[in-house]
Amino acid sequence: MKFLMFGAPMAGKGTLANMLAEDYNLPTISMGDILRASIASGDENGVLAKSYMDKGEMVPSEVVCAMIKKRLAEKDVQDGFILDGFPRTPDQLKVFVDEKITDIDVVVNIEVPYETLLTRVIGRRTCKSCGYIYNTSWNLGYEKCPKCSGEWGIRSDDNEETYKNRYEVYLQETLPILSYFEKLGKVVTVQGQDEPEQSYETMLKAFENSNIKGLKEFIEG
Ligand code: AMP
């Protein structure tokens, strides 16, 4: 099954993708993580990407399209995956469709009120070693990563000022492309304002109640 996670920044796309991946043994592909890895490696694309990401703006499409095409051609994602963060603009959608980059079975559209998104951005922590995502608003008191005891890091674009721009870019450039997938009947909308476990349950219920071909069967195993 090929999933595409859709929603505003901080809607929980990465968190729910990781939970689904663990339960159903699917690889995750995160455009943001691919870009952050490129920044960490210090390569030319990474330097360019950072200048956009720090402002909450979209990295040029030529760069992200080339990166995602390479990742989607790899062997481990041929039978299924959970994709987060691509396509994210009308011109990326055009490349996605024209070049038949991949097919998608289900688009998971996660809806969360703006105030909740803002609270989440201030509290997000990402494990520097394994990438596990935690939020201080869950009040679990984790001083370190509960999975691997790694140190917490804060993403450089996780601040209120940059977030406002990321959200605006989402409304202007990303949200309009949802209608393409709606017309194909591939969208499942999930109310994701709760904490992860609860939102995950809500998502699985929405899958079970959907008419998307093969989804109910996939979830029920
Ligand atoms: P994310 O980790 O999904 O929140 O993405 C973090 C940042 O990476 C975004 O604010 C953008 O600057 C950049 N980014 C992620 N995906 C894309 C994309 N498909 N196109 C352009 N920029 C992207």
Side-chain angles (χ1 to χ4, degrees):
M1 207 83 202
K2 295 178 177 174
F3 291 88
L4 171 63
M5 306 305 281
F6 198 94
M10 301 308 302
K13 301 185 294 292
T15 302
L16 295 180
N18 288 342
M19 293 167 90
L20 191 64
E22 202 167 305
D23 282 356
Y24 291 90
N25 201 20
L26 283 172
T28 54
I29 307 171
S30 156
M31 192 67 241
D33 285 351
I34 294 174
L35 288 165
R36 282 183 286 277
S38 173
I39 293 174
S41 77
D43 68 22
E44 207 181 308
N45 280 333
V47 174
L48 178 80
K50 188 168 171 21
S51 65
Y52 289 88
M53 290 167 78
D54 281 349
K55 288 183 277 184
E57 287 169 10
M58 289 289 161
V59 176
S61 286
E62 311 85 77
V63 175
V64 292
C65 288
M67 286 175 168
I68 201 74
K69 274 191 239 174
K70 193 165 160 233
R71 177 66 185 101
L72 283 166
E74 285 169 21
K75 214 169 157 207
D76 64 311
V77 296
Q78 297 315 305
D79 295 334
F81 54 73
I82 310 172
L83 174 62
D84 164 13
F86 184 90
R88 217 159 164 162
T89 62
D91 58 314
Q92 289 174 20
L93 178 65
K94 189 170 180 326
V95 175
F96 177 84
V97 174
D98 289 355
E99 298 190 19
K100 297 190 173 64
I101 288 192
T102 182
D103 45 319
I104 295 289
D105 300 304
V106 191
V107 177
V108 186
N109 173 38
I110 309 167
E111 292 185 341
V112 177
Y114 182 72
E115 286 65 35
T116 311
L117 297 170
L118 257 192
T119 314
R120 285 181 183 175
V121 81
I122 294 161
R124 175 155 68 181
R125 302 289 179 267
T126 308
C127 175
K128 286 184 185 171
S129 305
C130 75
Y132 178 79
I133 301 163
Y134 170 59
N135 204 293
T136 55
S137 68
W138 303 340
N139 289 322
L140 295 174
Y142 293 153
E143 299 283 333
K144 290 193 170 178
C145 173
K147 297 244 156 168
C148 75
S149 302
E151 297 282 331
W152 291 132
I154 299 180
R155 271 173 49 173
S156 60
D157 57 348
D158 274 352
N159 59 74
E160 203 170 327
E161 209 38 55
T162 306
Y163 186 78
K164 284 182 182 150
N165 196 32
R166 284 157 69 196
Y167 188 75
E168 202 48 44
V169 170
Y170 167 73
L171 293 183
Q172 298 296 329
E173 299 194 43
T174 307
L175 191 55
I177 74 172
L178 188 62
S179 64
Y180 169 80
F181 294 102
E182 273 168 342
K183 283 186 199 125
L184 296 176
K186 297 200 169 180
V187 177
V188 179
T189 294
V190 177
Q191 300 308 316
Q193 70 279 5
D194 297 316
E195 289 183 11
E197 294 296 337
Q198 180 61 48
S199 292
Y200 185 64
E201 286 305 311
T202 307
M203 181 173 84
L204 293 186
K205 269 203 195 98
F207 288 173
E208 278 169 14
N209 292 330
S210 91
N211 295 323
I212 292 172
K213 201 169 148 247
L215 180 57
K216 192 172 187 305
E217 294 74 12
F218 178 82
I219 290 304
E220 288 173 350

